[in-house]
Amino acid sequence: MKLLFVVRHAKSSWDNPDLDDHDRPLNERGLKNAEEMAKRFGAWLAMPQRILSSTAERAFQTAQFFEQGLHPHPTELATTVGLYTDSAHEVAEIIQSVSDEIDRLMVVCHNPAINELVGRFGLKIENMPTCGVAVFAIHTDQWKNLGPETSEVIFFDYPKRLMKPEKS
């Protein structure tokens, strides 16, 4: 069995309208949410061995929070331009190409690719929230067999899930 952790990057900044989309960083809320979600995620016993991130600044910053939150557990952080896509098919192909020596993989990328991917694998949500984390058990020993028939949702978390209601 493999574990797949799918993360949508945290909230990005639109402060500079002249900045290329690829270069947009996280905004203040995104920085806070990424740090908080990385801390929550740190409670997991089965940590990812590798984090693959989109090369986009906001995704890479999010991945860095998770990588830092996993210390002292050794985790390899790498970027791939192929995750800067709106295609769930392209994301799935990247995952399927991962070495089978890796049993626990985290992927940090973007919508709409994530919405389609997690939906295909059984998570029924309208929209993956920014900095949302979906975890899937992949019932195979080879990433190339990744697909709806091998995937099972085992966990879903997002920043606002634990928000306390405002007092009236």
Side-chain angles (χ1 to χ4, degrees), residues 10-143:
K11 197 78 170 160
S12 60
S13 174
W14 290 88
D15 288 347
N16 184 348
D18 297 327
L19 200 59
D20 183 74
D21 179 69
H22 188 270
D23 299 328
R24 283 189 296 112
L26 297 179
N27 68 13
E28 188 175 322
R29 183 175 122 202
L31 292 166
K32 180 181 174 210
N33 286 347
E35 182 177 17
E36 175 61 30
M37 290 301 293
K39 285 179 185 174
R40 278 196 227 170
F41 186 77
W44 271 76
L45 297 177
M47 302 293 179
Q49 296 159 285
R50 178 177 296 159
I51 300 173
L52 287 179
S53 173
S54 158
T55 54
E57 182 65 21
R58 59 196 180 274
F60 185 65
Q61 283 181 295
T62 302
Q64 286 178 307
F65 274 102
F66 278 89
E67 191 255 347
Q68 292 164 7
L70 295 175
H71 284 297
H73 306 283
T75 304
E76 175 190 329
L77 172 57
T79 59
T80 179
V81 72
L83 291 175
Y84 183 63
T85 182
D86 60 1
S87 168
H89 179 74
E90 289 176 26
V91 173
E93 283 183 338
I94 289 168
I95 296 167
Q96 290 169 327
S97 72
V98 169
S99 167
D100 292 327
E101 293 175 0
I102 301 296
D103 290 321
R104 299 176 311 277
L105 175 69
M106 176 179 280
V107 175
V108 183
C109 53
H110 311 268
N111 264 348
I114 284 184
N115 279 344
E116 184 182 338
L117 187 75
V118 300
R120 186 183 301 170
F121 294 161
L123 181 60
K124 303 302 179 205
I125 58 169
E126 188 173 313
N127 185 45
M128 180 74 147
T130 52
C131 214
V133 179
V135 183
F136 299 89
I138 310 300
H139 299 286
T140 181
D141 59 353
Q142 297 178 316
W143 287 110

